Amino acid sequence: MQPSEFVDLVVALAVAPLVLSVRRRTTVLRESPWWLVSYGCILVACVATIAEGLGGVLGEWLNLLEHAALLASGVAFLLFARGLYEHSRQVDA
Amino acid sequence: MNVAVPLIDLAGFVVFAIAGIFLLRTSSHGESPTSSIAKYCFFGATAVYTFAMFSNVLEHAGLTAALDAAEDYLEILFPAFFVYGGYALYARQRENELRSAQRVAVRSREMMLGILDAAPAGIIVLDAAGRITFANETAKQTLDLTDVDGVVHTPGWSVRVAESPAAPDFAGLITSPLGHRGLPVVVEWPDGWRVELTVQTEQLSDEQGRLGGMVATFLPPSGSRSNGGNGSTAVTG
């Protein structure tokens, strides 16, 4: 396990309450789950990275989980970004 | 499984890159829920993982692992970009709400002013010292008032409330112990023209509950300076 991976997880966990708080107050973020899902997947990826670094028989599966979680985060972020794009287009029209 | 990981990274690279393109094309003008700050923070967040995935793809392809160290440290920026973008969205929402409330307030004010100006009674608002801060059209005509940039100017008349001494403003109304219904008020111009009014008042309080001013209403007299009176008296009907 590299120190940077541990720092990634600590920072992501430290910011999580802020993410929840901002989501609760913001209508656009409350209306769509994808912003939060994207962050959740990043947290899963961070945890999988650390667990993988600890070694063990599940190492290969944890590596796959890490990369799959990042892909899932990307898909969720894409859906969120598309929602923002369409919302702004509707307002402009 | 070894084949799946590079494919997943390649797909992740494409997906994050498309998300970034959507964000760059998102409008941040006018009433849009997205501000420029939110847009570029989210773009920064997608750029971090687009770079990370690109670095992974290069590593899997055996081209270079040189970007790997930078990738590890860049990933720390993702939560910061992510939450700051969210906060910028919240700030834009508040800004839009305030703009909307301001529009409603302006519309309400214009409607109220329209109602006041259309009223057949004279209506004046006085501050705590008895100076006129607002007058509707009927009051302006009756009392010869002029409104310059929101400041009401009198033609130099004096006001006597009931038996109080003459004053250059309506301070007598503020201090009058006679109550607020049917107060006799005489307004006298320097040239001798007089208007006798029967005034109803309503006190206004400030935030601390102290007397902050007064609203006074009266029926306009039958004759006025503008329709031929000179040196005579007009009396409310």
Side-chain angles (χ1 to χ4, degrees):
Chain A
M1 182 179 67
Q2 294 175 24
S4 64
E5 291 168 351
F6 185 70
V7 173
D8 282 351
L9 179 64
V10 170
V11 171
L13 283 174
V15 168
L18 292 175
V19 169
L20 291 173
S21 162
V22 166
R23 183 178 185 264
R24 203 172 53 241
R25 288 170 167 78
T26 313
T27 312
V28 179
L29 301 178
R30 253 196 337 259
E31 281 172 354
S32 157
W34 299 121
W35 188 69
L36 197 61
V37 169
S38 176
Y39 199 76
C41 289
I42 291 291
L43 278 177
V44 170
C46 287
V47 172
T49 308
I50 302 259
E52 182 195 344
L54 294 175
V57 286
L58 292 175
E60 210 171 323
W61 285 103
L62 287 170
N63 185 39
L64 182 69
L65 173 65
E66 176 201 340
H67 290 264
L70 287 179
L71 174 61
S73 173
V75 172
F77 211 106
L78 173 61
L79 292 170
F80 163 69
R82 185 167 157 262
L84 264 191
Y85 170 77
E86 285 178 353
H87 202 123
S88 72
R89 279 295 169 104
Q90 280 170 7
V91 172
D92 272 357
Chain B
M1 210 175 319
N2 285 339
V3 182
V5 170
L7 287 176
I8 288 172
D9 284 343
L10 185 61
F13 168 71
V14 173
V15 164
F16 273 110
I18 294 173
I21 291 168
F22 265 120
L23 287 165
L24 283 182
R25 289 177 57 83
T26 298
S27 165
S28 56
H29 304 294
E31 299 285 305
S32 167
T34 317
S35 63
S36 298
I37 297 175
K39 181 172 143 174
Y40 290 112
C41 279
F42 286 140
F43 177 75
T46 57
V48 165
Y49 275 108
T50 306
F51 176 80
M53 294 298 190
F54 181 65
S55 158
N56 287 345
V57 169
L58 291 184
E59 201 179 334
H60 293 311
L63 294 174
T64 176
L67 301 178
D68 203 33
E71 171 206 327
D72 284 347
Y73 289 102
L74 268 178
E75 280 171 0
I76 297 170
L77 292 176
F78 180 85
F81 277 131
F82 193 88
V83 78
Y84 198 71
Y87 183 76
L89 280 186
Y90 170 65
R92 171 53 77 96
Q93 175 185 304
R94 296 288 296 156
E95 194 185 318
N96 286 345
E97 284 168 359
L98 281 175
R99 258 203 297 256
S100 170
Q102 203 173 17
R103 272 199 302 271
V104 170
V106 168
R107 270 203 303 270
S108 305
R109 185 174 180 274
E110 282 171 359
M111 189 183 74
M112 290 302 292
L113 285 176
I115 291 170
L116 291 176
D117 279 342
I123 302 170
I124 53 175
V125 178
L126 309 172
D127 63 13
R131 289 183 296 260
I132 300 173
T133 55
F134 169 82
N136 73 343
E137 277 307 314
T138 308
K140 281 179 191 166
Q141 283 170 15
T142 307
L143 299 174
D144 236 357
L145 301 170
T146 47
D147 189 339
V148 181
D149 296 332
V151 180
V152 180
H153 297 275
T154 70
W157 38 238
S158 58
V159 181
R160 232 179 30 247
V161 178
E163 301 304 317
S164 69
D169 50 39
F170 283 86
L173 274 184
I174 302 282
T175 55
S176 173
L178 296 178
H180 308 293
R181 293 284 173 264
L183 272 174
V185 172
V186 178
V187 182
E188 188 166 348
W189 272 255
D191 62 1
W193 171 261
R194 282 159 52 93
V195 171
E196 291 178 10
L197 304 169
T198 304
V199 176
Q200 319 284 323
T201 61
E202 188 65 47
Q203 288 187 347
L204 301 173
S205 303
D206 62 12
E207 290 87 359
Q208 281 81 39
R210 294 177 305 213
L211 179 66
M214 193 170 266
V215 177
T217 64
F218 54 84
L219 287 175
S222 48
S224 72
R225 288 173 70 83
S226 57
N227 64 14
N230 188 15
S232 59
T233 303
V235 183
T236 49

